[in-house]
Amino acid sequence: MNIHCKSNEVPVQSIPNSERMRTLKDIFMVEFGCNPSFFARVPGRVNIIGEHIDYCGYPVLPMAIEQDILVAAGLLDEPKLCIRNVNKKYESFDVKINTFEELQIENDQNEKPNWYKYVLCGIKGALEHLNNKKSSGVQLLFDGNIPPASGLSSSSALVSAACLSFLYAQKAHLNKTEIASLCAKSERYIGTHGGGMDQAIAFLAERYSAQYITWQPLKATPVALPEDATFVVAHCLAEANKAATDDFNQRVMECRLAAKILLKVSNGDKNHKITTLREVQETLRTTLEDMVNLVHKQLPKDIYTKDEICTLLEVSEKELDSLYLSPNTKHFKEFKLKQRALHVYEEAIRVESFRKVCLEVLRDEKIRKSNGTNGSDKTYENGNGNKHKTLEILGKLMSASHESLKNLYECSHPNLDYLVDLSKKMGIHSRLTGAGWAGCIVALCPKDKTEDYIQMLKEEFYSKQCNVDKDKAKHYVFATSPNHGAVIFK
Ligand code: ADP
Ligand code: NG1
C-alpha cells in the first residue's frame, strides 16, 4: 500500500510482510543492536535494445527486472557511515562523513573496486547535492540478488540504493528524474563514464511496459511490448566488472573522438563543448542514415593512431589527453573510430525501428479489441501455424544488434556468442545485454515457445557445456517481464 506517492516522487510504501524483509530486519538487529528506520529497494534492469548508445546521447529501451538491491537503513546522531552486507563475502566498512570532498573513492586503475566503494559513490553524490548539509549519519545493511558484473545493472542498483536511502534519511525530497540523474553522476566516481540508462530505469520503471528513455531532459515514455512475446535472460556464466578494465571507457572515448573528428571535418568546427555523436547529428541537422554515410566517408580507416587524431583535431597529445581522454585511456596509442561510430548510429536506428513496431502492434491490438476481430493479415501470418511476423521483425533487430556489438563494438564473449547461436538454431533471436564482455543475453521468445526454449538452454548449454545441474540452472536462465522502479518501505 502506498503511504504517500506523488507520481514523480519515489513512492513510500508500507513494509511488505515477507520472509526476506523479516530476515533483513533480524540481521540488522544483530549487526547494529536496533531496528532499521526504513528500507529502500532498487531493481536491476535488462536492456531490450539500444546498447552502448546512452553515453552518446541516443534513446534506449530497458525494463526493470524482479531482482533487486534491498537495503535496511538506520539513523545515527554522529556523522558516520556504517556499511554491512548480508552476504559475508562482502566486507564491512565504517567511515566518518564530513564533506563529499573528503570522501575518497580512489581506485587503483584496472583493479576490481571493493563493493563498498559503490555505496560510497552514492553517498558522495548525495552529500554533494546537499552541499554537505546533513542531519544524521546512517547504518546500511544491503541484500542483493542481481547477478553481479553481468550486464543487469547490479552496480547502479547498489549506488542508487545508497544514494536514495541517504537522501531519505536527511529528509531531502527529489523527484525521480532528479535522483536518477544524480545517481548516474554519482556512479562515475567509480571511474567509468556510463550514460545514465541504468539509474534512469531504476527510478522511472513501470510495471507492464518497457521505457523509451530520452536524454536532455531525461524522460521515460512507456512502450508496451507485444502481448505474445516473452523476454528471457540467460547468463553465459562469465562475469566482467566494468571498472576493473579500461574496455568500457575506451569505447566511450572512441565515440567522443569520433564525434570531435566528424564535426571538425564536416564543418571545420573545433567547438570543444560538443562531445557526443548525437550532438554532431543535431549540429549537422541530418538523419541517422546520413550520419552512417558520413562515417563511411569521413572516418574510412580501420585504425587511427593517436598522432593521426591529434593532426585531425589540430591539438597536441597533451591537449588530447587532458581534453578528451579519461585517466585509464590516455595510454592508448590506437583507436577504432569508424567501427564504434557505425555501431552507435545504426543501433540508434534499430531502437527507433523497434519502438515503431511496438507502437504499431499496440495500435493494431487496440483496433482488434475494439472491433472484436482477430487482427489484420498485415500483422499476423496465419498460414504457418501461429508464427508471428511482428516478433520476427523485432527479433531480427535484436540479432542485428548482437552482430554489431560483436563485430563493430567488440564487446561480446565466446559464451555469449554461443548462447546467441544456440538460440538461433531454435529460431529465437537474442543479443547480449548491458555492457557486455561477459554477462547475459536477452532473447525474444514467442510465449508458446518459452518453456521449450528455457529447457533447451538448460540441456544444451548449462548441462552439456557447463556441467550445471537443472536445479541450479534456474538461477541463470529465467523469463522476465517489466517491473516497477525504486521504492522506500517504511
Ligand atoms: P553490473 O553490470 O552488474 O552493473 P559492474 O561490473 O558494473 O556490474 O559492477 C558489479 C559490482 O557491483 C560487483 O563486483 C560488486 O562490487 C558490486 N555488487 C553487485 N551486487 C552486489 C551485492 N549484492 N552486494 C555487494 N556488492 C554488489
Ligand atoms: P551495465 O554494465 O550493464 O550496468 C553499462 C552502463 C550503461 C550503458 C551500458 C551499455 C554504467 C553504470 N552502466 O551498463 O550506462 O552504457 O553499459 O549499453 O556505466
Side-chain angles (χ1 to χ4, degrees):
M1 194 192 81
N2 277 345
I3 295 176
H4 95 92
C5 177
K6 282 190 198 161
S7 70
N8 61 350
E9 271 184 22
V10 177
V12 181
Q13 300 179 348
S14 48
I15 300 170
N17 183 13
S18 69
E19 182 74 39
R20 187 172 172 213
M21 295 302 279
R22 281 192 294 276
T23 308
L24 192 59
K25 196 174 156 202
D26 290 348
I27 302 175
F28 192 95
M29 174 61 88
V30 172
E31 288 288 345
F32 298 117
C34 57
N35 280 323
S37 302
F38 64 91
F39 300 81
R41 175 193 179 271
V42 179
R45 63 99 187 95
V46 58
N47 189 21
I48 296 171
I49 196 156
E51 219 62 82
H52 284 283
I53 62 171
D54 58 345
Y55 50 78
C56 297
Y58 283 106
V60 291
L61 199 70
M63 64 189 191
I65 55 175
E66 212 179 293
Q67 291 84 341
D68 60 19
I69 296 276
L70 188 60
V71 54
L75 308 183
L76 285 172
D77 290 337
E78 48 179 331
K80 201 176 163 189
L81 179 64
C82 303
I83 309 172
R84 303 284 182 276
N85 201 302
V86 164
N87 184 339
K88 285 298 154 207
K89 86 171 184 194
Y90 297 116
E91 71 188 81
S92 301
F93 185 76
D94 291 355
V95 65
K96 271 198 158 216
I97 40 168
N98 290 315
T99 63
F100 80 90
E101 293 94 339
E102 284 171 38
L103 208 51
Q104 298 290 320
I105 313 182
E106 268 147 32
N107 201 41
D108 290 335
Q109 265 180 36
N110 295 344
E111 262 198 28
K112 189 173 158 186
N114 212 313
W115 80 280
Y116 59 76
K117 291 197 175 166
Y118 293 93
V119 179
L120 296 182
C121 285
I123 306 293
K124 187 171 171 108
L127 268 176
E128 187 174 5
H129 174 80
L130 297 170
N131 286 323
N132 292 322
K133 286 196 195 97
K134 56 193 173 307
S135 48
S136 36
V138 285
Q139 299 160 316
L140 300 173
L141 171 65
F142 291 87
D143 175 31
N145 55 19
I146 307 167
S150 305
L152 299 180
S153 196
S154 69
S155 61
S156 304
L158 187 55
V159 172
S160 303
C163 187
L164 172 64
S165 36
F166 189 76
L167 288 170
Y168 191 73
Q170 315 308 324
K171 299 189 176 65
H173 288 284
L174 275 87
N175 67 36
K176 290 180 193 172
T177 48
E178 283 169 340
I179 189 164
S181 305
L182 175 61
C183 291
K185 185 177 158 206
S186 306
E187 187 158 350
R188 295 192 193 112
Y189 284 124
I190 210 74
T192 46
H193 291 243
M197 158 170 67
D198 307 350
Q199 301 84 357
I201 192 69
F203 289 96
L204 300 169
E206 282 173 22
R207 250 208 152 107
Y208 309 120
S209 44
Q211 299 290 327
Y212 175 71
I213 311 267
T214 45
W215 315 101
Q216 291 183 331
L218 171 60
K219 192 173 165 215
T221 310
V223 175
L225 300 167
E227 279 176 3
D228 47 356
T230 305
F231 289 87
V232 173
V233 173
H235 202 296
C236 82
L237 301 187
E239 292 181 4
N241 181 292
K242 274 194 306 293
T245 74
D246 37 37
D247 293 328
F248 186 85
N249 279 355
Q250 185 190 17
R251 299 301 183 275
V252 180
M253 303 307 144
E254 284 173 324
C255 290
R256 188 180 284 178
L257 294 175
K260 301 301 302 182
I261 295 175
L262 284 176
L263 193 69
K264 174 87 179 15
V265 295
S266 300
N267 68 0
D269 199 340
K270 251 185 103 173
N271 184 350
H272 286 312
K273 277 194 226 117
I274 284 182
T275 53
T276 68
L277 289 165
R278 188 190 174 106
E279 285 170 321
V280 179
Q281 187 202 346
E282 278 168 357
T283 307
L284 300 181
R285 292 167 192 266
T286 185
T287 62
L288 281 165
E289 288 75 9
D290 283 343
M291 290 310 296
V292 170
N293 295 332
L294 192 71
V295 173
H296 282 295
K297 189 170 160 217
Q298 303 290 14
L299 292 172
K301 296 179 62 155
D302 284 340
I303 304 254
Y304 285 82
T305 65
K306 203 169 186 181
D307 285 346
E308 283 170 325
I309 292 172
C310 288
T311 308
L312 283 166
L313 291 177
E314 295 179 50
V315 292
S316 66
E317 185 169 338
K318 218 171 154 195
E319 283 172 315
L320 191 81
D321 284 350
S322 66
L323 287 171
Y324 309 127
L325 299 178
S326 65
N328 67 343
T329 56
K330 290 185 205 284
H331 65 284
F332 283 110
K333 294 287 172 220
E334 293 182 342
F335 299 86
K336 293 188 179 177
L337 308 185
K338 172 177 68 179
Q339 299 87 324
R340 311 312 187 212
L342 278 181
H343 164 77
V344 170
Y345 288 127
E346 290 172 350
E347 182 79 350
I349 294 173
R350 284 188 283 271
V351 172
E352 295 312 315
S353 309
F354 197 100
R355 177 170 176 251
K356 199 166 151 243
V357 174
C358 289
L359 292 175
E360 280 170 10
V361 173
L362 186 67
R363 193 200 54 206
D364 282 1
E365 274 168 5
K366 274 189 185 155
I367 293 173
R368 213 171 65 235
K369 278 177 190 161
S370 70
N371 287 348
T373 59
N374 266 338
S376 65
D377 291 343
K378 183 175 149 269
T379 320
Y380 293 90
E381 186 183 75
N382 296 319
N384 180 13
N386 57 1
K387 195 175 164 208
H388 201 301
K389 251 189 189 170
T390 314
L391 295 198
E392 189 60 18
I393 300 172
L394 295 176
K396 281 187 174 156
L397 290 167
M398 290 175 68
S399 286
S401 168
H402 184 78
E403 279 305 296
S404 178
L405 290 160
K406 177 181 164 189
N407 299 320
L408 293 176
Y409 227 69
E410 297 175 288
C411 64
S412 192
H413 180 283
N415 289 13
L416 290 169
D417 298 337
Y418 187 86
L419 279 171
V420 167
D421 292 343
L422 204 56
S423 307
K424 212 168 273 168
K425 283 189 192 149
M426 206 181 145
I428 307 285
H429 294 281
S430 62
R431 54 180 289 278
L432 75 83
T433 186
W437 290 285
C440 296
I441 62 159
V442 57
L444 194 167
C445 194
K447 257 203 175 96
D448 54 359
K449 275 193 179 180
T450 309
E451 263 183 43
D452 289 350
Y453 173 59
I454 291 179
Q455 196 56 30
M456 183 279 290
L457 289 183
K458 282 184 180 167
E459 274 162 28
E460 298 299 320
F461 181 69
Y462 295 102
S463 173
K464 282 192 194 162
Q465 296 291 321
C466 313
N467 263 329
V468 173
D469 68 57
K470 278 196 185 149
D471 209 40
K472 232 177 155 195
K474 69 173 183 249
H475 300 292
Y476 297 121
V477 54
F478 50 88
T480 189
S481 49
N483 246 277
H484 57 79
V487 283
I488 298 276
F489 296 124
K490 198 173 155 65

